[in-house]
Amino acid sequence: MDLKKLLSKMTLEQKLAQLTQVNANCLTVGASEDITGPEQEVSLTKADVASAGSTLNFENAAEGIRVQKEHLELDPNKIPLLFMHDVIHGYKTIYPIPLALGASFDTDTVEECCAMASEEMTVGGVHVTFAPMVDLVRDPRWGRCMETTGEDPYLNCDMARAMVRGFQKSGKVAACVKHFAAYGQSESGLDYSATDMSERTLRDFYLPAYKAAIDEGVEMLMTSFNILNGVPSSGNKWLVKNLLRDEWGYDKIVISDYNAFREMKALGFCETEKECAKLAIDATSDIEMMSPCYLQNIPQLINEGVVSEEQIDEAVMRVLRLKEKLGLFEKPYLYADPKAEEEICLCEKHRDIARRAAEKSAVLLKNDNVLPFNKNAVKRVAVIGPFADRVMLGNWLCHGKESEGISALTGIKGLLKNAEVLYSKGCLEGVNESDCSLVEEAKALAKECDAVIICAGEDYKMSGESMSRAELRLSPAQKTLIREVGKVNKNTAVVLFSGRALVLTDIIDDINALVLAWQPGTEGGNAIANLLFGEVNFGAKLPMTFPRSEGQIPAYYNCYRSSRPYEGPYGCWYIDMPKARLFEFGYGLSYTSFEVSAPELSSLTMNKGESIEVSVNVKNVGKMAGETVVQLYIRDDFASLARPNRELKGYKKIFLNAGEAQRVIFTISEEQLKFWSINNKFEAEEGSFTLWVNENGIVNETDGVKFNLLSKK
Ligand code: GLC
């Protein structure tokens, strides 16, 4: 396709339509003359909608084919629509939420999940998924924690690359990294609030994962709702034009978030939609999602000589290039295939992938000789709680349905052929539920059983976009249920569903065994059953810190040091509770135990441009095979700027049979020691560094091993 020739034939209105994205319900059959619902406020006309360049949130392959057919009949240039969708953790077969995938520390599993989703969305007619979301998060009050892979830039970069590979490796689907930038630092954990930080913090912590996705070849990038240091990302020329495009060399599509151009007015940054359009195009933002600023203002801005048509042409070319790259001009319906959609979605192979991912991402947080339950010995098992008979899909469930999934109750019934599995609701789901009238029944049941599983936590609808929480504790009813049942049966395990770090301090002492299942998706129940009864072992670690209290937030492991690190008068402490968090980043238990030897270095000095190796012996000293995550942390002891007390600079997930040992070797290069220095560039500084290697995130200062970085020879 000669794109330049195509562009030369297009009118300005047709070009602006290519830069406008409308929700599919504007295009659905029988849409009234006036766009109804939220679209009405967007004041899009039927003509605007008819010529739009892309759409989002359509139902399935058949709908996509119909909409594309109608669109091509209407569009004078016969330019096919791009179909986009939020396939965040599954299209129809839903795998664990991204925060859970972060806990897996297993990029192969993550890539496999995204490739599976890509296969399903391809036949579903999706061309672009609005994923991966790589916003670093340090505040569990923010509902969108569930979409992130946690608080660490190194892990987030690995996960971003794995997700881009998984989604895009077939070449049939494009991924879209979001939300650029630093949306995860929303003030007070409130969604759509301000983000404010130094450029240093931005570059050392919040930006790396977007860059990792771009270097992995992601085809699109979405800017974020938030202001960043006073300037909304949608119209932030420094962020998008200067840094993303000029400094990083990103020359593909930038799409706004939903109505975000226009929301620059609400942010007090623009007085008119005309100003929104000007700022957005000057920042080189291309596609406007569900608002009409470009359509209704660019022509006048061009007439006034304030915006040039060349700016529009550059944006339109980026859109046309992606349409060509995906093959849309030759095959407008691409791979949309209702029959294949029916056959491939939720097939056994995909369910297995989802189940294994759920097994690999659940974290064992406590186990006082309760788990694993013995599936051949138990005769009566009680499965209790508001989420026992629910399929906890996760908030971005796309086309997933609970009815197609496996609850913990169903999974445990399916596994235990020789035991009686009994259910009691225990209490209702509500986040502040205090009605305990169902507890007695649950207690009575638990008394007569060999093993008890309580499924508690937060409903998956309580995390996700616009689902911030100021308090992160279990409901009063859930706490009463856990306490009362625990009193009558010590053989009780709590399975916690959550899309964020919760505050468990006031209940943890009443729990003998605690499994964090996150929101595990379609096959969650089977995974939970396999884990609880020892069919598989735990191997996941926390990708974000669990604070002791909301008062500790933001709570993250790679924070800067204090001049008075001790707890006590004139020290760095809370006078009303211990400073330590409840569970640290990198923490997670197993049914077996691992011993990690002291690190050995190939050299205690490293010249710039060279590398050294650090190795440890890891031994499974328990009775069960299992996986663990061997973690390398490094601290820059002294630098031109204060550096964090430690940072993850490597990890390896390994499997060891009982009694087996393995040598694990990490390479340390200058690259891993770089930071945004006092000279405003990424560089490593000569001097002393300290490193630790462990498999549970717990670091004792005295275990550190020092090495020196020297200048080039
Ligand atoms: C939402 C989200 C974004 C999503 C988009 C399209 O508001 O912020 O993550 O991709 O709109 O649904």
Side-chain angles (χ1 to χ4, degrees):
M1 169 64 74
D2 183 337
L3 298 180
K4 284 199 170 63
K5 188 172 171 211
L6 172 59
L7 185 67
S8 66
K9 289 190 323 181
M10 293 167 73
T11 66
L12 177 59
E13 284 63 29
Q14 289 163 354
K15 292 175 185 176
L16 296 177
Q18 283 302 310
L19 304 183
T20 303
Q21 180 171 87
V22 297
N23 204 319
N25 57 9
C26 299
L27 306 168
T28 43
V29 178
S32 66
E33 271 312 301
D34 300 318
I35 303 294
T36 57
E39 288 60 47
Q40 201 149 27
E41 301 109 60
V42 187
S43 66
L44 284 171
T45 67
K46 192 109 173 105
D48 295 336
V49 163
S51 55
S54 61
T55 184
L56 76 156
N57 298 338
F58 68 101
E59 195 44 43
N60 52 34
E63 175 74 353
I65 291 168
R66 186 195 61 75
V67 166
Q68 186 73 289
K69 188 170 179 300
E70 271 192 16
H71 167 80
L72 289 170
E73 284 159 7
L74 287 169
D75 182 41
N77 298 307
K78 305 296 173 210
I79 301 174
L81 278 165
L82 262 179
F83 285 82
M84 306 195 198
H85 212 63
D86 290 289
V87 184
I88 311 295
H89 55 103
Y91 175 76
K92 199 154 176 58
T93 308
I94 306 303
Y95 47 85
I97 55 174
L99 188 57
L101 296 181
S104 75
F105 281 76
D106 185 332
T107 49
D108 291 342
T109 294
V110 172
E111 184 174 335
E112 189 182 29
C113 285
C114 296
M116 179 260 279
S118 179
E119 207 182 327
E120 293 192 354
M121 74 173 99
T122 297
V123 294
V126 176
H127 307 149
V128 181
T129 174
F130 294 125
M133 186 268 223
V134 301
D135 306 328
L136 184 134
V137 66
R138 292 170 166 174
D139 190 333
R141 294 171 296 180
W142 192 50
R144 301 194 79 162
C145 286
M146 51 79 59
E147 275 180 88
T148 75
T149 51
E151 68 190 44
D152 180 74
Y154 186 93
L155 178 63
N156 288 350
C157 286
D158 266 9
M159 291 293 153
R161 285 187 282 266
M163 290 177 177
V164 170
R165 282 196 304 272
F167 284 129
Q168 295 192 164
K169 67 178 159 187
S170 70
K172 298 174 180 174
V173 172
C176 172
V177 63
K178 68 186 184 183
H179 307 78
F180 194 66
Y183 179 32
Q185 196 230 35
S186 294
E187 194 170 44
S188 308
L190 282 168
D191 213 349
Y192 319 119
S193 63
T195 289
D196 205 274
M197 64 181 73
S198 68
E199 184 177 348
R200 183 156 283 107
T201 298
L202 187 65
R203 287 184 179 271
D204 277 341
F205 295 96
Y206 287 84
L207 288 181
Y210 305 109
K211 182 74 168 48
I214 287 164
D215 293 347
E216 197 64 32
V218 74
E219 289 293 348
M220 194 179 290
L221 173 140
M222 183 188 295
T223 45
S224 56
F225 284 120
N226 55 284
I227 63 170
L228 173 60
N229 299 337
V231 182
S233 301
S234 302
N236 191 325
K237 194 169 181 180
W238 172 80
L239 181 71
V240 183
K241 172 81 174 63
N242 301 354
L243 187 145
L244 177 68
R245 295 217 191 270
D246 298 346
E247 183 182 323
W248 288 2
Y250 177 76
D251 61 357
K252 300 172 183 172
I253 294 173
V254 171
I255 186 170
S256 80
D257 205 333
Y258 205 101
N259 195 34
F261 280 9
R262 200 158 65 154
E263 290 177 12
M264 287 197 273
K265 285 200 301 184
L267 289 169
F269 194 70
C270 302
E271 274 190 78
T272 64
E273 291 185 20
K274 186 175 165 187
E275 220 181 314
C276 297
K278 159 108 179 69
L279 288 167
I281 197 67
D282 281 354
T284 72
S285 297
D286 301 315
I287 297 179
E288 177 174 9
M289 186 192 294
M290 275 308 285
S291 58
C293 302
Y294 276 2
L295 271 175
Q296 296 173 0
N297 297 285
I298 292 288
Q300 192 182 351
L301 287 165
I302 289 177
N303 289 340
E304 293 165 3
V306 174
V307 167
S308 72
E309 188 146 359
E310 286 69 33
Q311 287 175 269
I312 304 304
D313 289 352
E314 280 173 24
V316 176
M317 277 305 276
R318 287 190 278 262
V319 175
L320 297 178
R321 274 202 293 269
L322 180 60
K323 292 187 175 185
E324 181 183 53
K325 186 169 185 176
L326 289 172
L328 269 170
F329 288 108
E330 291 72 37
K331 297 175 63 178
Y333 307 106
L334 269 188
Y335 310 94
D337 180 339
K339 187 169 178 300
E341 189 179 27
E342 188 64 31
E343 287 163 2
I344 293 174
C345 294
L346 291 167
C347 66
E348 274 320 298
K349 178 179 157 243
H350 288 186
R351 282 180 177 271
D352 279 350
I353 291 170
R355 190 203 72 256
R356 274 187 284 110
E359 289 166 351
K360 286 177 176 284
S361 48
V363 185
L364 182 59
L365 289 175
K366 186 175 181 184
N367 186 23
D368 294 346
N369 303 314
V370 171
L371 295 174
F373 293 131
N374 180 335
K375 75 170 185 178
N376 299 316
V378 294
K379 293 293 170 242
R380 283 166 66 82
V381 175
V383 186
I384 292 169
F387 305 118
D389 197 19
R390 286 279 309 278
V391 178
M392 304 306 275
L393 292 175
N395 199 315
W396 285 100
L397 62 163
C398 198
H399 297 309
K401 292 190 178 70
E402 287 198 32
S403 58
E404 294 158 347
I406 306 292
S407 68
L409 178 62
T410 304
I412 293 166
K413 279 183 175 174
L415 180 67
L416 301 184
K417 305 299 182 201
N418 307 317
E420 197 181 359
V421 180
L422 303 151
Y423 164 68
S424 177
K425 185 146 180 106
C427 69
L428 301 179
E429 285 93 333
V431 65
N432 293 317
E433 183 57 59
S434 58
D435 173 1
C436 297
S437 56
L438 299 174
V439 170
E440 276 315 305
E441 179 203 273
K443 201 171 161 181
L445 174 64
K447 217 168 181 173
E448 299 155 22
C449 289
D450 314 307
V452 180
I453 296 102
I454 302 177
C455 298
E458 62 173 15
D459 194 332
Y460 62 81
K461 296 162 187 149
M462 287 163 45
S463 55
E465 185 171 356
S466 182
M467 302 306 281
S468 298
R469 291 180 63 183
E471 290 185 345
L472 300 171
R473 297 164 196 256
L474 301 187
S475 69
Q478 285 192 30
K479 283 189 273 197
T480 301
L481 176 67
I482 290 168
R483 285 195 184 100
E484 291 307 308
V485 167
K487 281 178 192 162
V488 300
N489 196 320
K490 291 301 170 218
N491 222 20
T492 295
V494 172
V495 174
L496 190 73
F497 295 103
S498 177
R500 60 189 3 127
L502 293 175
V503 171
L504 304 168
T505 314
D506 50 2
I507 193 65
I508 191 70
D509 294 338
D510 298 297
I511 295 173
N512 294 327
L514 177 60
V515 170
L516 174 60
W518 305 107
Q519 306 295 354
T522 304
E523 284 290 317
N526 285 330
I528 288 165
N530 288 339
L531 287 162
L532 291 175
F533 289 86
E535 297 297 293
V536 290
N537 196 350
F538 292 89
K541 307 293 179 183
L542 291 178
M544 81 179 292
T545 302
F546 272 55
R548 193 176 291 276
S549 153
E550 294 85 351
Q552 288 184 329
I553 293 168
Y556 52 98
Y557 86 93
N558 46 2
C559 50
Y560 293 103
R561 285 163 273 181
S562 161
S563 58
R564 298 182 181 181
Y566 51 84
E567 295 192 69
Y570 303 103
C572 173
W573 67 319
Y574 297 108
I575 61 170
D576 55 353
M577 76 166 58
K579 178 166 74 173
R581 289 59 175 266
L582 196 62
F583 296 112
E584 286 286 346
F585 173 88
Y587 181 77
L589 298 174
S590 166
Y591 287 146
T592 189
S593 309
F594 298 92
E595 279 177 3
V596 181
S597 69
E600 289 172 31
L601 277 65
S602 56
S603 164
L604 296 182
T605 58
M606 181 174 105
N607 294 311
K608 280 193 172 185
E610 295 177 1
S611 62
I612 58 172
E613 288 189 343
V614 53
S615 57
V616 291
N617 261 321
V618 183
K619 183 169 184 178
N620 179 343
V621 294
K623 296 187 176 58
M624 188 172 171
E627 288 182 311
T628 191
V629 181
V630 186
Q631 303 158 46
L632 167 67
Y633 292 92
I634 296 181
R635 177 179 66 208
D636 188 342
D637 294 327
F638 308 97
S640 59
L641 292 165
R643 305 295 304 129
N645 66 359
R646 70 180 187 280
E647 296 177 282
L648 182 74
K649 293 294 182 183
Y651 64 87
K652 291 184 193 275
K653 189 159 196 180
I654 62 170
F655 173 87
L656 291 175
N657 287 308
E660 189 183 2
Q662 182 180 324
R663 192 144 188 79
V664 175
I665 300 171
F666 294 100
T667 299
I668 299 173
S669 66
E670 183 184 346
E671 197 54 37
Q672 288 147 285
L673 308 180
K674 289 183 178 177
F675 68 103
W676 192 252
S677 78
I678 197 76
N679 305 316
N680 285 330
K681 62 181 181 178
F682 276 111
E683 57 183 346
E685 295 178 358
E686 294 93 318
S688 160
F689 291 80
T690 304
L691 67 82
W692 296 266
V693 180
N694 62 57
E695 57 93 30
N696 56 15
I698 296 169
V699 161
N700 300 311
E701 184 63 30
T702 51
D703 296 342
V705 175
K706 290 191 181 301
F707 68 94
N708 266 295
L709 179 67
L710 309 175
S711 57
K712 274 193 194 313
K713 267 183 181 162

